[in-house]
Amino acid sequence: MSVDPPSSGRPTGPPSGPLSGPSQPPSGGGGPPSEPPSGGGREPEPRRPWWGSVPRVAIVATALVAAVVLAVVLSRPDNGGTGASDGGTSTASGEVFLQPAADTGPDEFTDSTAQEDSSASPVTPSGAGESAQQNAVRGVNGDAPGLYGGTRNVASCDVEKQIAYFEDAPDKESAFASVVRIQPSEVPAYLRSLTPVQLRMDTRVTNHGYKNGAPTSYQAVLQAGTAVLVDDRGVPRVRCACGNPLTPPVAQQSAPKTTGHTWPGYKSSNVVMVTPAPEPVDVFVMCESDGEWFKREAGDTGKKDHKTHKPDKPSPSASVTTPTAPTDSTSSQPPTSEPPTTSDTDTSGPTTNEPSSDTQPPPPDNNTGGDTGGGTTDQPPAS
């Protein structure tokens, strides 16, 4: 029997190549891929892109977050906030800015209205050798004879010039008014109610500058000889070299770090803070640079000055005290409280930035007559 030869177009056995296994699809030009080589046992998984891998995505995301956090940390200022040395707004960051008498300082409200160079004779407060906590200062009552000085019949600050500056800058006038808690329209009467004097002791205050349309605040020590305006309790309220409003200092948690420019004779142990006089001051007993004494009526610019005798205690007595912490450390508004009722200051005041428990009086009214234009009814914290 003859057998037909196989067709020349069909293979006579299994396809060539390493294919094996049953039911293999024929090889062809456009068909599906051939089976995997023998020995694998199963098809390989398709290769996925790198972003389809959960572990890789987690690693990349963690790296990105770490980079962002590091960039933020390296680009932000110190934890204490912007310091006083560059006009920052921190009041409890642990820095105290030293300001020489003629130095304008950062972020001034106005040009200087000081009318005379330092003519006050510096004095060391009695009791300066008394031991104190590192964050404490020495308090002197605002009515103490010899606390302030100047030149008889000469005002240390041109009040009318200060008023004119604010009239030409209503935004600054509003910011100033917000610090002393009065209406902008009351600023002229408030300034006229204050008394121009010169410090005779290096004095700790909270200084308020003006920056980006709003008041700033920082702790400062004003050099003896600085021209200031004081209220009817003897508390400094305006620094004449820059027009900045002043409020009492706030508590520091530890010994403050000083910045700025020091001056000959500066000693931190001689720095004082002015505590409000128990009663409104009618007359300030002041000392000239030549040792002569005179009296200046509250609110007067020196026109009514007259000589007086040297007081029995020409060096004001200071007692250890601690500044009262602000009621709201995020606000530019100063805390208020009633003045002390005794001549001695309390040495058991708060030493941290916890709010004071003193009762707060209501905001001042619009009476700007014989009072201080609403400013001095808003008393600084009792020590």
Side-chain angles (χ1 to χ4, degrees):
M1 177 182 293
S2 64
V3 178
D4 293 336
S7 173
S8 61
R10 299 178 60 88
T12 59
S16 62
L19 297 179
S20 64
S23 304
Q24 299 301 329
S27 60
S34 60
E35 285 192 355
S38 61
R42 59 179 179 179
E43 296 182 1
E45 295 182 1
R47 189 170 182 178
R48 292 175 295 179
W50 67 268
W51 58 83
S53 172
V54 173
R56 290 181 181 177
V57 170
I59 292 173
V60 172
T62 301
L64 289 176
V65 171
V68 172
V69 171
L70 182 61
V72 171
V73 171
L74 293 178
S75 63
R76 51 180 304 199
D78 294 339
N79 292 335
T82 304
S85 59
D86 56 3
T89 60
S90 175
T91 59
S93 63
E95 287 189 341
V96 175
F97 189 48
L98 302 181
Q99 292 192 270
D103 184 23
T104 300
D107 306 332
E108 69 276 10
F109 264 77
T110 67
D111 292 340
S112 176
T113 59
Q115 293 199 118
E116 59 176 338
D117 295 333
S118 175
S119 59
S121 54
V123 62
T124 300
S126 61
E130 184 180 356
S131 61
Q133 299 178 16
Q134 289 184 327
N135 62 333
V137 294
R138 305 181 189 283
V140 178
N141 273 9
D143 60 352
L147 175 59
Y148 297 119
T151 302
R152 186 163 59 95
N153 300 127
V154 177
S156 60
C157 183
D158 190 335
V159 175
E160 296 304 318
K161 188 176 181 180
Q162 188 72 58
I163 293 172
Y165 277 140
F166 280 129
E167 288 178 345
D168 293 337
D171 292 343
K172 291 184 176 181
E173 185 175 53
S174 296
F176 180 95
S178 71
V179 175
V180 299
R181 291 187 173 184
I182 59 176
Q183 296 298 319
S185 60
E186 297 175 314
V187 169
Y190 172 73
L191 292 173
R192 292 188 180 106
S193 73
L194 305 177
T195 307
V197 299
Q198 285 187 351
L199 303 175
R200 295 186 71 214
M201 302 179 184
D202 296 341
T203 304
R204 171 90 170 268
V205 297
T206 298
N207 197 337
H208 298 264
Y210 181 83
K211 185 176 183 180
N212 298 329
T216 65
S217 64
Y218 55 91
Q219 296 305 290
V221 173
L222 307 183
Q223 182 187 12
T226 300
V228 296
L229 298 175
V230 300
D231 64 16
D232 69 347
R233 302 286 179 140
V235 178
R237 292 300 183 184
V238 180
R239 185 170 182 264
C240 302
C242 53
N244 290 5
L246 306 175
T247 57
V250 300
Q252 302 291 324
Q253 293 182 342
S254 59
K257 173 187 175 182
T258 56
T259 61
H261 302 286
T262 187
W263 46 84
Y266 169 78
K267 291 180 63 176
S268 60
S269 60
N270 291 340
V271 174
V272 301
M273 62 172 287
V274 179
T275 57
E279 301 292 338
V281 181
D282 294 326
V283 175
F284 293 95
V285 179
M286 303 166 60
C287 184
E288 294 190 81
S289 58
D290 59 2
E292 295 293 326
W293 291 79
F294 66 98
K295 291 183 177 180
R296 177 169 293 174
E297 295 182 9
D300 185 56
T301 57
K303 298 177 180 179
K304 301 178 182 179
D305 291 350
H306 56 277
K307 287 186 176 183
T308 188
H309 298 291
K310 182 179 180 178
D312 295 336
K313 295 181 178 181
S315 180
S317 177
S319 56
V320 176
T321 186
T322 304
T324 301
T327 55
D328 182 4
S329 60
T330 63
S331 173
S332 62
Q333 302 289 350
T336 59
S337 65
E338 293 298 326
T341 56
T342 62
S343 58
D344 294 330
T345 54
D346 181 10
T347 61
S348 61
T351 59
T352 64
N353 293 323
E354 295 299 325
S356 170
S357 59
D358 295 340
T359 302
Q360 305 296 321
D365 55 25
N366 295 329
N367 180 16
T368 59
D371 205 329
T372 60
T376 57
T377 58
D378 176 25
Q379 295 299 334
S383 301

